[in-house]
Every structure is written in C-alpha cells, then in structure tokens.
Amino acid sequence: MLEQLPTFDLAIIHCGEVLTLSGASECPKRRAELADVGLIRDGVIGISGEKIAWVGSETSYRQLGRAKREIDAGGKVVMPGLVDSHTHAVFAGSREGEWEEKMRGASYLEILKKGGGILRTVDATREASPEDLLNLAKETLKKMLSYGTTTVEIKSGYGLDLKNELKILNVIQRLKDETPLDVVATFLGAHAIPKEYLNNSDSYIDLVIGMLPEAKDHAQFCDVFCEEGAFSASQTRRVLEQAVKLGFQVKLHAGEFSDQGAVRLAAEFAAVSVDHLDVIHECEIPLLIESGAVGVLLPGVSHFLRMKEPPPVRALIEVGVPVALASDFNPGSCPSFSMQEMIHLAVRNFNLSASEAISAATINAAHGLGMASSVGSLEVGKQADLLLLDIDHYEQLPYYFGMNHVDKVIKNGKIVYS
Ligand code: NIG
Ligand code: FE
C-alpha cells in the first residue's frame, strides 16, 4: 500500500517543467553535470512552512498528496530562486555620461585615473545619509526580487574609509533584516585607491587592514580588487592574511582587465570564489582547480564594457572548474541586476547552453556563497525559494531575451512577488 503524503501548507501544482537542480548540494556541478537541470515534467512541489517538503510527479500527488492551499502553475516552468553571488548594490548616484565616453573609446582604467569611475561613486556614496542609501538599496532589492533573485551577495567598497565602509555594511545588515531576500555581506575596503591615498596605496592597505576587525562584525567574506590601477597581488595578500586570521572567508576580483596573479592567491587562501576571470592565462587554470573555488563569470560586464574577448569559458568547464554566473550589479561596469539577462548573455556570448547557464545561476552560485545546503535547488529540506516563470520550456528563458519571465516569486514558502 502506498502511504499518503503529509498535508502540505502549499503545493505548486501543474508545473509543466520543474527544474530541480538536484544532486549537487554537496559539490558544485562540473563539466557535463552542468547540463543537467534535474528536469521533472508535469511536477508538483509540496511546501511545509518555509521548506520544500516534497517534489514529485502530478500523478503521485493526485494519488497521495493534498495541501491546505494550491497554486496552479498553468503548465509553465518552475525553478529555484536565482542566486546573484556578486553585486555592489549599495551605492548612490549613476554614471551614464561616463559610459557614453567609454563607448567612444575611453578605457575603464583611464576614467578611473582621472578621478572618475569608482571614485565618482565613492563621492556620491560618502555624501549620502545612511537612510538615503538604505532606501535606494531597498528599491534595488525589491526590483531584483521581481526579476527572480532570491539570494544576493552585496559588497561594500564605495566608502573607502572606516566611517563610510561601516555605513555601507550597516545598510547591508538592515537589508538582511528588512527585505525578504537572503543577503550575504562582503567587505571590499580594497576596491579602489581613494583620492586621499592616490600616490600612497600601501598606506591605504594599512588602513584597510585596520578596518578588518570592525568589518568582521558585519561581513562574512573579504574581497580585494586585484587589478592594475587598483591593488597588486602583494597588497592583496597583505589584506587576505589578516582577513583569514580574523575568520573571514575569501572572494577575489581576479582578471577583469589584466592578470595580476590573483588566481594563485585564491589557492593560497582557499577562496570560496574567484570572480571575473576575463583574463586568465592557461597556466593558471590548474591553480584554480587546486583552489576548489567557484569561478564566477560576469557576462554583463563583458557585454556592457564591450570587452574584446570572452573569458575561456569552455576551457574552464572542460578542466572541471565549477562555474557560476552573477550580475556584478554596479554603476560602472554593469548597471543591470537581471540574472535572466545574465543567463541570456552567457548563452549568447560565453557559449553556455541554457541548462549550463541555469545551473551556474542557481546551485553553483549558491556554492559560491557557501549556501548550497539551503538554497539553489528544489530538494526536500531546502528553503522554499522558487520562481514560477511565464514560459513553456526552460530553453525559452535565454531565448526570449530582454524581458522579465517571472510570474511569481516564492521566498521561504511565501509569495513575495506576483
Ligand atoms: O566589478 N571591479 C571592480 N568593481 C566593479 C566596478 C565598480 C564600478 O565601476 O563602480 C566591477 O567591475
Ligand atoms: Fe565586482
């Protein structure tokens, strides 16, 4: 005799396709595993409280299941909430004029050297009150949620002094408490050399190291922008040595415009993720494997800054780097936070298949935040974070580009957007 299932609080019925992304909560998806989205046709998801209680076929549910409430997905696609593991979402101002200059040929680093770029946003962010910054960021996160992002990492880095870095980290803390999203905080004091230290970046590194103990109360990760015009590998190492001693986990901005050897540091400091990788020499790829880090690709940056070459995505996948996708949402290199757009761009420009891109934007992205035991897939016991999409097949997600396919967002078992 088949046993009746417990009564669920909520069941999502009549899902034409459920993308479970199952089986990769322990280890991220690598190589051919990336192409497996754990598809169940004609599926149902049972939710009890905030958690997923059951995933199975419509036929089994009809025989054995019941729920206090049902939502009819109308034969459409249901998938896990998107995980954006790399953003700079707390800032003031915008930089559209500068982007036009870039499109006419000015380089990112040239603009930075003239005191524009990150430093322009630093000025605006320093001037903004904590309340103003919070309200701006809340608006951003509300829109992110409506585009299907249910977990987001946010970096500090537009303060560049203790007071303003803590102001940003406090805003991130309040976003955790006051929005439905899961918010992960990263301290990126070493994001740019502030104008007070332009010819003295080593002293700024001393200052960043001094900020670490207080930043630790607000942030899980420490990141450094290891780049020409920002910080060298040896300066990056100095920050990370102290950060690791204080208990931070490590992320790195590596190879956005130039290769500074940051991948070696990822192995040295057991980085959880290494992000960008637009410029990575072949000899460094084994080091990336050795580090165990998730390789976070940012196709929005490559697109928005009209970069000449895509990163060596296929080579990374073939040797076994677990790749993830993120938006890098920020006012300079990617003013979009649509993870649906990132999936489109990854297929269009980085040669991923739709299924690989979806794995990279869900379960592998969750690994990039050390959160794969609770988010990133639809499996029993995990948070009920899921999206009802207005498409018939998951391959339509990147295909119908430039639009929002989200019909409903469920976060921790509750509808938070419809
Ligand atoms: O990831 N790389 C450093 N930070 C951002 C750019 C930030 C900005 O331009 O404001 C990035 O591209
Ligand atoms: Fe970034």
Side-chain angles (χ1 to χ4, degrees):
M1 254 252 316
L2 291 172
E3 250 179 72
Q4 199 69 30
L5 294 166
T7 305
F8 306 126
D9 292 328
L10 176 65
I12 316 298
I13 62 163
H14 202 197
C15 309
E17 295 181 354
V18 178
L19 315 186
T20 64
L21 280 303
S22 62
S25 294
E26 304 263 303
C27 294
K29 286 181 181 282
R30 295 181 159 86
R31 301 188 180 91
E33 293 162 358
L34 279 159
D36 179 5
V37 291
L39 181 66
I40 298 178
R41 282 182 218 283
D42 301 319
V44 171
I45 299 157
I47 296 169
S48 290
E50 302 188 344
K51 301 268 157 68
I52 294 169
W54 187 78
V55 185
S57 72
E58 187 88 29
T59 319
S60 315
Y61 177 73
R62 288 281 152 240
Q63 288 169 351
L64 310 168
R66 64 204 136 151
K68 292 181 195 153
R69 185 177 167 208
E70 291 180 342
I71 294 177
D72 190 329
K76 305 280 181 168
V77 173
V78 176
M79 68 174 290
L82 294 159
V83 177
D84 193 347
S85 68
H86 181 146
T87 83
H88 306 250
V90 176
F91 60 86
S94 65
R95 309 206 312 255
E96 56 281 349
E98 200 174 83
W99 180 60
E100 291 216 17
E101 277 181 52
K102 277 184 211 157
M103 291 302 97
R104 291 197 202 95
S107 83
Y108 187 78
L109 291 175
E110 272 162 22
I111 288 174
L112 186 65
K113 279 181 194 147
K114 283 197 303 195
I118 294 175
L119 296 182
R120 191 182 305 274
T121 302
V122 170
D123 287 342
T125 306
R126 284 179 176 177
E127 269 170 36
S129 71
E131 282 307 313
D132 287 347
L133 265 189
L134 177 67
N135 289 333
L136 283 168
K138 274 189 173 172
E139 257 327 287
T140 300
L141 264 60
K142 193 172 156 196
K143 289 184 197 148
M144 279 183 175
L145 195 65
S146 74
Y147 276 78
T149 297
T150 49
T151 299
V152 64
E153 181 259 17
I154 307 177
K155 302 172 197 298
S156 70
Y158 290 118
L160 308 186
D161 59 32
L162 180 62
K163 175 176 139 221
N164 285 292
E165 285 296 307
L166 289 178
K167 177 173 81 178
I168 296 167
L169 290 172
N170 277 310
V171 166
I172 300 174
Q173 179 66 50
R174 287 190 58 187
L175 294 169
K176 282 187 205 186
D177 301 336
E178 297 173 29
T179 73
L181 287 87
D182 271 305
V183 176
V184 176
T186 296
F187 173 60
L188 179 61
H191 188 198
I193 306 162
K195 40 180 187 293
E196 312 85 82
Y197 289 85
L198 264 191
N199 297 313
N200 198 359
S201 59
D202 282 329
S203 303
Y204 181 61
I205 288 295
D206 295 337
L207 186 72
V208 170
I209 290 170
M211 293 182 208
L212 287 168
E214 280 190 73
K216 184 69 196 74
D217 296 336
H218 308 274
Q220 176 184 349
F221 291 99
C222 180
D223 191 345
V224 176
F225 188 19
C226 186
E227 185 59 61
E228 193 190 328
F231 302 100
S232 67
S234 62
Q235 291 173 324
T236 303
R237 178 181 281 108
R238 285 185 56 214
V239 174
L240 296 183
E241 268 165 1
Q242 289 306 315
V244 165
K245 277 188 198 150
L246 290 167
F248 281 99
Q249 290 175 286
V250 171
K251 286 180 165 285
L252 277 168
H253 276 72
E256 181 172 0
F257 304 104
S258 63
D259 183 355
Q260 302 288 321
V263 171
R264 192 171 295 280
L265 296 175
E268 199 177 316
F269 292 99
V272 176
S273 77
V274 184
D275 302 29
H276 285 286
L277 301 171
D278 295 282
V279 185
I280 174 171
H281 290 139
E282 251 167 53
C283 62
E284 286 185 310
I285 295 180
L287 284 169
L288 195 51
I289 298 283
E290 190 190 312
S291 77
V294 172
V296 179
L297 307 170
L298 306 165
V301 174
S302 179
H303 169 73
F304 188 72
L305 297 183
R306 206 188 277 152
M307 286 177 170
K308 287 202 178 69
E309 292 286 325
V313 178
R314 219 17 82 183
L316 294 174
I317 291 175
E318 271 165 19
V319 295
V321 175
V323 295
L325 291 176
S327 71
D328 199 7
F329 174 62
N330 74 77
S333 66
C334 187
S336 170
F337 46 67
S338 167
M339 285 296 288
Q340 295 175 65
E341 185 64 19
M342 302 310 139
I343 289 170
H344 164 75
L345 291 172
V347 173
R348 169 66 182 77
N349 299 331
F350 285 7
N351 205 18
L352 294 189
S353 65
S355 50
E356 289 174 325
I358 289 169
S359 296
T362 53
I363 189 66
N364 276 17
H367 279 284
L369 294 176
M371 290 180 73
S373 61
S374 53
V375 301
S377 65
L378 302 180
E379 291 175 276
V380 173
K382 290 181 92 165
Q383 283 177 208
D385 294 0
L386 46 105
L387 312 178
L388 278 66
L389 302 179
D390 190 14
I391 46 176
D392 301 315
H393 306 290
Y394 73 83
E395 293 94 334
Q396 292 175 349
L397 171 46
Y399 169 75
Y400 289 117
F401 74 101
M403 46 187 99
N404 187 3
H405 300 301
V406 171
D407 174 43
K408 287 185 180 55
V409 179
I410 295 177
K411 176 73 188 157
N412 290 317
K414 299 217 161 50
I415 299 180
V416 289
Y417 171 79
S418 182

